[in-house]
Amino acid sequence: MKNLTLNKNKNVRKCRVCSKNISPFMTFGKMPIANAFLKKKDFKKEYFFNLMPCFCKNCYSFQLFKQPDPKKMFHKNYAFFSKTSKNMRIHFEDFYKWIKKTYLLKKKTPFVIEIGSNDGILLENFAKKGIKHLGIEPSANVAKESAKNGVNTLVGFFGKNIIKKVLSNYGKADMVVLANVMCHIPKINEVAKSISEILNKEGYLIFEDPYLLDVLKKVSYDQIYDEHVFIFSALSVKNIFEKYDLKLIDAIPQETHGGSMRYVFTKKLEITESPRLKRILEKEKKYKIHKSETYRNFKKNCEFSKVNLLKKLQKLKKLKKNVVGYAATSKSTTILNYCKINKNLINFITDTTPIKHDTFSPGMHIPIKPYKDFSEIDVDTAFLFAWNHKKEIMKKEKKFLKKGGVFLTHL
Ligand code: DWN
Ligand code: SAH
Ligand code: ZN
């Protein structure tokens, strides 16, 4: 009894948004860095932390109890390159066109800042049209890739220190945009304040991230890993940014990354909320996104999903099927380590990213192989870790499906 109380006390921290005490509602257990693909010689010194999500009853944010130091995750050997997906390249070209048409058309010389610009998948569209832009990206290797396409990038973490440099060298921006990045940054109040300072008085902030309601409904718990310190809802982002005079005026659902939401904020406080945003906020309330019981149910659903998945994989093993993983995603690190799936159940994982080849998956140490290894051997079942890119992958794998190959997911 004594120990239990002690642990409970230990598992208390201040909410990153509102500073009230929060505690985890579940644990996924010991986790490595999701994108730290490693060589055999480094197995012994691998870093682990406890992956535990929390829900704050006060500000309704969903966040990790502990996040590893950002420098451990984002550095000169970062393993995720945005342009590996063709459909994502199309998505970002459309995103660019929409921004230009909706927000920048009336501006003579607009200035756009992207935080977490990675290999330039979005900004290269602005660069090609000669639009003044700046990427801020801490992972030097991916930033270097973007430079090849004329993207102007400052290598570093966005925050109060870097904005001084940006303001003195470039001036204020008309737009700050982020895709799958806001949910990565722990000092959210500092970020919101800095964005508010860097935008001119008519400026817009637009960002998109995996959407909490989709994660809860689909039980896509694999969106929870070290990099994703937050999983946002419209309700939670409204609370965060309105404190810094950034008014949430729209929310637009996206199909990307298994269900995302694009949020539009403006410094022009007189603009009213769109009917679509009102509907989305209503829908979240109806789903009880603001209630602790929703997260207790989510925990049960995750446990159920784990048991089910293990049953399926063990059955395939008994049938002596050749099972391999398709795409060594960040998300796969959570599935593999939570369910303790190793080489016994999945022979190897194929991936198209050169930096991941001939390494081992974080924690479970499943070998990562180039795409050629998948296409040239007889695979019975492919565990689709990139289920968010299903449309793109099914199109590509017609041959595999035709010869009887089967795709499996944890969903
Ligand atoms: O938020 C994040 C999102 C945007 O990207 C980051 N924290 C990290 C990353 O997450 P992820 O690794 O789960 O992303 P994806 O886009 O689901 O997976 C990409 C991986 O899948 C790459 O390693 C490439 C691989 N892949 C493949 O092998 N064959 C992807 C496609 C489309 C393919 O056909
Ligand atoms: N925008 C891209 C990349 C998303 S991956 C896309 O949607 O595909 C997340 C990116 O955010 C990584 O490139 C990482 O290096 C970057 N990042 C993480 N913390 C950051 C911070 N504090 N400031 C700026 N970028 C950050
Ligand atoms: Zn809070």
Side-chain angles (χ1 to χ4, degrees):
M1 199 59 203
K2 214 174 171 189
N3 263 343
L4 255 178
T5 329
L6 206 77
N7 271 338
K8 211 177 159 203
N9 287 340
K10 226 172 87 184
N11 280 347
V12 176
R13 63 157 292 140
K14 299 266 177 245
C15 166
R16 291 176 181 83
V17 177
C18 73
S19 298
K20 286 271 177 345
N21 282 348
I22 54 169
S23 293
F25 62 83
M26 72 176 289
T27 175
F28 288 99
K30 212 175 81 169
M31 281 288 155
I33 301 285
N35 268 309
F37 296 87
L38 68 175
K39 298 278 185 194
K40 220 174 220 159
K41 67 172 176 42
D42 297 321
F43 284 180
K44 278 211 182 102
K45 52 177 187 203
E46 196 168 12
Y47 170 89
F48 289 95
F49 72 105
N50 256 328
L51 182 69
M52 300 187 287
C54 309
F55 168 68
C56 178
K57 283 183 280 191
N58 184 53
C59 69
Y60 312 124
S61 65
F62 181 106
Q63 58 191 286
L64 295 187
F65 185 73
K66 181 181 160 72
Q67 189 194 32
D69 181 352
K71 289 194 201 90
K72 273 198 163 72
M73 302 181 283
F74 311 113
H75 41 65
K76 61 181 191 316
N77 292 313
Y78 185 51
F80 173 70
F81 287 70
S82 302
K83 284 204 254 172
T84 44
S85 155
K86 190 178 148 209
N87 280 7
M88 289 310 293
R89 291 202 299 267
I90 297 169
H91 171 77
F92 283 112
E93 194 183 338
D94 292 344
F95 193 1
Y96 153 75
K97 285 181 185 156
W98 175 79
I99 289 177
K100 184 139 185 274
K101 189 178 82 194
T102 322
Y103 299 100
L104 302 181
L105 215 55
K106 286 186 208 124
K107 298 265 167 201
K108 243 191 182 157
T109 51
F111 174 38
V112 176
I113 293 176
E114 187 188 5
I115 302 173
S117 42
N118 199 278
D119 57 8
I121 192 166
L122 172 63
L123 278 187
E124 68 178 23
N125 295 288
F126 291 88
K128 270 186 220 153
K129 298 284 176 197
I131 298 173
K132 183 178 167 191
H133 66 273
L134 176 69
I136 301 171
E137 170 54 67
S139 303
N141 60 333
V142 294
K144 200 170 157 197
E145 194 58 36
S146 74
K148 290 181 191 162
N149 293 307
V151 173
N152 181 30
T153 312
L154 198 58
V155 176
F157 287 92
F158 182 80
K160 63 175 190 249
N161 295 329
I162 216 165
I163 65 160
K164 289 181 200 134
K165 208 164 157 184
V166 175
L167 283 170
S168 62
N169 290 336
Y170 298 86
K172 291 203 175 197
D174 298 291
M175 169 148 318
V176 171
V177 54
L178 305 87
N180 310 302
V181 176
M182 193 65 91
C183 69
H184 292 61
I185 315 184
K187 290 184 182 168
I188 193 81
N189 285 304
E190 181 185 320
V191 167
K193 187 166 181 275
S194 302
I195 291 175
S196 193
E197 281 169 22
I198 214 169
L199 279 172
N200 65 35
K201 59 183 194 308
E202 304 211 311
Y204 284 87
L205 160 68
I206 299 182
F207 69 86
E208 54 186 44
D209 272 313
Y211 184 43
L212 183 58
L213 205 57
D214 281 299
V215 172
L216 297 173
K217 280 185 177 169
K218 292 176 190 162
V219 199
S220 45
Y221 65 81
D222 51 333
Q223 282 294 1
I224 304 167
Y225 54 90
D226 56 353
E227 295 182 18
H228 290 176
V229 64
F230 291 105
I231 310 273
F232 294 125
S233 58
L235 177 67
S236 64
V237 296
K238 188 173 158 65
N239 276 330
I240 298 170
F241 292 90
E242 292 197 348
K243 286 186 291 191
Y244 300 94
D245 284 345
L246 288 161
K247 183 171 176 184
L248 180 62
I249 55 166
D250 206 357
I252 311 164
Q254 307 292 316
E255 276 184 17
T256 48
H257 291 298
S260 297
M261 190 63 80
R262 180 181 294 168
Y263 305 100
V264 181
F265 300 81
T266 181
K267 302 257 294 193
K268 292 191 272 190
L269 303 180
E270 66 281 8
I271 298 187
T272 52
E273 284 184 351
S274 74
R276 173 169 47 204
L277 171 60
K278 284 185 185 146
R279 280 198 301 275
I280 285 170
L281 288 165
E282 272 307 307
K283 202 169 151 192
E284 289 183 353
K285 214 168 170 189
K286 215 169 143 197
Y287 194 83
K288 297 190 180 162
I289 212 157
H290 58 305
K291 300 266 190 207
S292 301
E293 63 183 84
T294 305
Y295 303 89
R296 284 196 293 272
N297 284 336
F298 176 66
K299 172 182 188 261
K300 280 190 208 142
N301 292 341
C302 292
E303 288 160 356
F304 183 71
S305 164
K306 173 179 175 172
V307 172
N308 242 343
L309 176 62
L310 283 169
K311 262 192 208 154
K312 276 190 211 165
L313 289 173
Q314 270 144 7
K315 193 171 158 197
L316 290 167
K317 184 162 174 78
K318 254 194 196 150
L319 295 168
K320 296 203 162 42
K321 298 285 183 196
N322 185 14
V323 182
V324 311
Y326 196 108
T329 59
S330 320
K331 297 183 288 294
S332 69
T333 296
T334 297
I335 303 175
L336 296 170
N337 287 276
Y338 174 50
C339 302
K340 308 244 173 342
I341 298 166
N342 61 17
K343 237 172 48 249
N344 278 326
L345 295 174
I346 291 183
N347 283 328
F348 67 84
I349 305 173
T350 175
D351 196 281
T352 53
T353 316
I355 196 176
K356 295 182 186 175
H357 297 161
D358 302 315
T359 64
F360 294 86
S361 74
M364 286 295 127
H365 303 161
I366 300 174
I368 314 294
K369 304 275 183 202
Y371 181 61
K372 173 164 110 358
D373 288 48
F374 174 78
S375 55
E376 287 177 0
I377 65 160
D378 269 332
V379 172
D380 300 302
T381 305
F383 192 134
L384 186 58
F385 289 120
W387 55 272
N388 45 312
H389 299 308
K390 190 173 169 189
K391 266 192 195 154
E392 174 175 351
I393 292 168
M394 290 309 124
K395 227 176 173 177
K396 205 155 77 179
E397 297 304 342
K398 285 200 180 116
K399 214 171 114 193
F400 170 68
L401 291 165
K402 213 170 165 192
K403 64 176 189 197
V406 175
F407 277 104
L408 166 80
T409 70
H410 69 303
L411 300 175

